Amino acid sequence: MKKGIFITFEGNDGAGKTTICLKIKEELEKRGYPVVYTREPGGSKIAEEIREILLDTKNTEMDQRTEALLYAASRRQHLVEKVVPALNEGKIVLCDRFVDSSLAYQGYARGIGMDEVWQINQFAISDYMPQKTLFLSVSMETGQKRMNIRGDKNRLDLEANDFHQKVRKGYDTLIEKYPDRIVVIDAEPSVDVVFKNALDQVMKVIESYE
Ligand code: TYD
């Protein structure tokens, strides 16, 4: 049986990942591909319940390692319940955030350490890594602007600018470390332009497996 293709989308808050991901899903379906769009944290019942704890703005006392473990737990549940079965059915899985988010947010920005966070995540994901990761790159200003338009802010959105700058630095470290897996897409232009560039990258991956 043909195995599926696992593609993840990453970026700072306000980069526009969800919009682009959903447009790609729609386009791939139009072209006849079997696609699953999903997101982290969440994407399945138990994982969504963990998401609520993680993003609840009232949970100001959450310990950083607890936060990292909960993201990893939510990831595990979502992976076994949703991602792996879809891949086994030969589907293309588009996942809005995955392990790189934990490495950038918890590992780098929170200061736990990327290696430490990688270890707990390796336990959570075993060998399941995406074939390709699209990193949507925006300036801090653009990210903030888009977040403000979106309105309601979660616990991590409320972190200071300094935190979001560190998140970006964490991602930059990953981009340098995994140049074959992570593709950087300039997400400053209009949705149509970003969508086209992102779709080109996704099609390259699909065609390389056909
Ligand atoms: P969400 O509303 O889904 O944000 P976005 O649309 O930007 O993806 O909230 C997810 C938040 O959780 C986001 O601020 C990033 C953060 N996050 C982590 O800190 N670590 C992780 O491992 C993941 C998956 C998300």
Side-chain angles (χ1 to χ4, degrees):
M1 188 174 65
K2 196 165 163 271
K3 281 276 269 166
I5 300 174
F6 187 22
I7 301 175
T8 59
F9 292 75
E10 295 282 352
N12 278 79
D13 294 274
K17 290 179 292 30
T18 311
T19 309
I20 299 301
C21 250
L22 288 171
K23 279 180 74 76
I24 290 178
K25 172 187 170 1
E26 200 184 342
E27 180 61 30
L28 292 182
E29 279 174 344
K30 257 194 236 158
R31 296 183 186 192
Y33 292 103
V35 190
V36 170
Y37 162 80
T38 188
R39 67 152 185 198
E40 279 202 0
S44 76
K45 184 180 169 291
I46 296 170
E48 285 290 333
E49 286 179 17
I50 301 173
R51 175 188 174 90
E52 283 194 18
I53 301 171
L54 276 165
L55 300 185
D56 188 340
T57 52
K58 290 198 291 301
N59 285 337
T60 50
E61 71 274 32
M62 190 180 295
D63 171 76
Q64 294 181 356
R65 289 183 183 212
T66 306
E67 180 181 288
L69 288 163
L70 285 176
Y71 274 113
S74 154
R75 176 160 304 126
R76 170 78 195 167
Q77 187 63 33
H78 172 244
L79 189 72
V80 295
E81 233 186 296
K82 198 157 176 188
V83 177
V84 174
L87 291 175
N88 287 341
E89 284 167 20
K91 293 186 176 155
I92 298 166
V93 177
L94 306 176
C95 190
D96 200 337
R97 293 192 183 282
F98 191 59
V99 68
D100 296 309
S101 286
S102 282
L103 299 173
Y105 282 76
Q106 282 68 50
Y108 194 92
R110 290 285 192 223
I112 297 174
M114 289 172 121
D115 289 344
E116 284 79 353
V117 172
W118 172 249
Q119 277 173 21
I120 58 165
N121 274 279
Q122 211 175 15
F123 177 69
I125 65 180
S126 350
D127 289 334
Y128 283 97
M129 276 299 279
Q131 278 102 323
K132 205 49 102 183
T133 298
L134 271 56
F135 175 78
L136 299 197
S137 171
V138 284
S139 65
M140 284 298 125
E141 297 72 43
T142 304
Q144 289 291 339
K145 241 188 264 164
R146 290 184 187 161
M147 256 204 287
N148 289 337
I149 295 170
R150 193 169 67 178
D152 65 325
K153 293 201 162 97
N154 67 48
R155 196 171 56 83
L156 281 94
D157 292 336
L158 291 173
E159 288 289 338
N161 276 352
D162 178 47
F163 177 80
H164 294 288
Q165 254 148 12
K166 282 193 199 151
V167 169
R168 177 57 204 245
K169 275 199 173 171
Y171 275 128
D172 285 340
T173 308
L174 295 168
I175 291 163
E176 214 173 292
K177 195 166 171 188
Y178 302 108
D180 293 339
R181 176 172 62 85
I182 307 180
V183 185
V184 180
I185 307 270
D186 178 8
E188 288 286 336
S190 67
V191 170
D192 285 350
V193 173
V194 180
F195 164 62
K196 190 195 164 294
N197 293 337
L199 182 67
D200 284 350
Q201 293 295 335
V202 168
M203 286 312 298
K204 260 199 218 167
V205 183
I206 296 173
E207 282 157 12
S208 74
Y209 284 90
E210 272 172 353

